[in-house]
Amino acid sequence: MELDKCINFLLSTAQHNVFQYLSGRLASHGITPGQYGVLNCLWTHRELTPKQIGELLHLEASSVSGLLDRMQKNDLIERTVDPENRRVVRVSLTQKALDIQPSIEQIIDEMNAHVLETFSPAERETLLCTLSVISNRVLN
């Protein structure tokens, strides 16, 4: 099969290109695309457990733990033990993370517009729906 017909190659290459572009744009704020995912979850839900973050982002516990460690060192999140259940850790945003939210959301909007600028509105909708179906499909 030709590479330009291989779904894995096309998705991987597209993801790499978008990741590199976004990494460059987020670098001025000292965050990575993965950390943006965590921030987005917390901007929406305000407080989550690491397990909930992993479920929302489709990440393994070890990946979430590493992201949270780096984010805590950069004063983006706080982790606290739930007083009602000491086995549960709660993750919440710091003021620094709340302060950068508008700038980060603008970067995301600009990135989406840049990536999708060559598509018609109908093509954009089709692409986003198709990627969503692929992302949510469990392959055995």
Side-chain angles (χ1 to χ4, degrees):
M1 174 182 292
E2 297 297 318
L3 282 178
D4 65 350
K5 303 289 186 236
C6 177
I7 296 294
N8 182 64
F9 175 77
L10 293 170
L11 288 173
S12 296
T13 303
Q15 191 276 339
H16 175 77
N17 290 340
V18 171
F19 182 88
Q20 293 293 64
Y21 178 83
L22 186 57
S23 292
R25 297 294 313 278
L26 293 174
S28 65
H29 292 282
I31 66 169
T32 65
Q35 291 171 347
Y36 160 72
V38 173
L39 288 171
N40 184 282
C41 291
L42 292 170
W43 288 329
T44 301
H45 299 281
R46 292 296 173 209
E47 184 179 86
L48 295 166
T49 66
K51 181 179 180 185
Q52 291 169 320
I53 293 169
E55 289 168 354
L56 288 167
L57 297 176
H58 304 277
L59 293 174
E60 299 292 324
S62 60
S63 297
V64 172
S65 180
L67 279 169
L68 296 179
D69 286 345
R70 289 185 294 283
M71 293 177 76
Q72 190 168 15
K73 285 178 187 170
N74 290 332
D75 191 36
L76 293 168
I77 59 134
E78 295 175 341
R79 289 189 266 198
T80 56
V81 175
D82 186 328
E84 294 179 20
N85 183 349
R86 307 245 340 125
R87 293 174 295 170
V88 176
V89 173
R90 301 267 176 214
V91 181
S92 59
L93 297 164
T94 63
Q95 189 59 50
K96 178 180 176 181
L98 292 169
D99 290 344
I100 65 171
Q101 182 178 358
S103 297
I104 300 301
E105 288 178 342
Q106 181 179 349
I107 289 169
I108 298 303
D109 289 343
E110 290 169 356
M111 182 222 29
N112 283 349
H114 180 66
V115 169
L116 298 173
E117 69 187 354
T118 60
F119 296 93
S120 71
E123 289 171 329
R124 290 176 192 166
E125 187 63 30
T126 299
L127 176 62
L128 294 173
C129 287
T130 302
L131 289 173
S132 182
V133 168
I134 292 169
S135 294
N136 293 311
R137 185 160 183 232
V138 177
L139 301 175
N140 295 321

